[in-house]
Amino acid sequence: MAKVKKHPMIRGLSGAIGNMIYREMPNGETWASGKYDFDHRKFSQGQKDHQSRFQKAVAYARTAAKQHPIYAELAKGTVKSPYNWALSDWFNPPVIHGIQRQAGCIRVEATDNVQVIRVMISILDEEGGIVEQGEAIRGEFGLWEYETATEGRVRVEAWDLAGNVTSKEL
């Protein structure tokens, strides 16, 4: 891919001309590259599955980039657009780093590349049935807290803005 510098005829041009593709980048630069030929390419099942996931991510990002102001906030001062942040959020589920239980309080450390919006705590009995369930509240230092006196196994589920869910048990 070649970078076009200071050529008044090409600067700002985008699209295909002959066998060349011109792209205007978010920072205003114009890039030129050769046209790709995918006419005879056969995709594996894994590639088809990824293309399907990507289509779903694009559908989410198109609307979410306009509906959720956090994506625009994250994009300010970067080369990423709100659409890029929404697309990235769809592909990156939250991560539960740790679960602590002490003195009637369950604390959960969960992060996401954009934002964790909800943490659900379930207390399970020996057979795995739910004894108690409720939403944790965002506390200090980004920890999520849930107060309970019920004993049992703890299952934590964390949601992000894109609807991804991660689950972990203590």
Side-chain angles (χ1 to χ4, degrees), residues 26 61 65 71 75 79-90 113-114:
Y71 295 129
V79 294
K80 278 188 166 185
S81 68
Y83 170 84
N84 295 138
W85 277 103
L87 194 68
S88 172
D89 193 23
W90 194 91
N113 66 324
V114 174

Side-chain angles (χ1 to χ4, degrees), residues 115-133:
Q115 180 181 32
V116 175
I117 61 165
R118 179 179 177 208
V119 173
M120 179 70 76
I121 308 289
S122 301
I123 311 291
L124 310 173
D125 60 17
E126 293 176 5
E127 291 83 36
I130 297 174
V131 177
E132 181 181 340
Q133 188 173 40

Side-chain angles (χ1 to χ4, degrees), residues 88-157:
S88 172
D89 193 23
W90 194 91
F91 275 109
N92 293 293
V95 177
I96 299 172
H97 300 283
I99 306 167
Q100 300 173 356
R101 184 176 195 159
Q102 45 185 237
C105 185
I106 298 170
R107 288 185 180 88
V108 178
E109 182 184 358
T111 60
D112 185 59
N113 66 324
V114 174
Q115 180 181 32
V116 175
I117 61 165
R118 179 179 177 208
V119 173
M120 179 70 76
I121 308 289
S122 301
I123 311 291
L124 310 173
D125 60 17
E126 293 176 5
E127 291 83 36
I130 297 174
V131 177
E132 181 181 340
Q133 188 173 40
E135 285 194 38
I137 298 169
R138 192 183 311 255
E140 295 179 352
F141 311 111
L143 295 176
W144 292 80
E145 299 176 346
Y146 181 77
E147 292 188 23
T148 183
T150 308
E151 292 297 320
R153 204 170 64 223
V154 176
R155 180 175 57 213
V156 175
E157 296 173 312

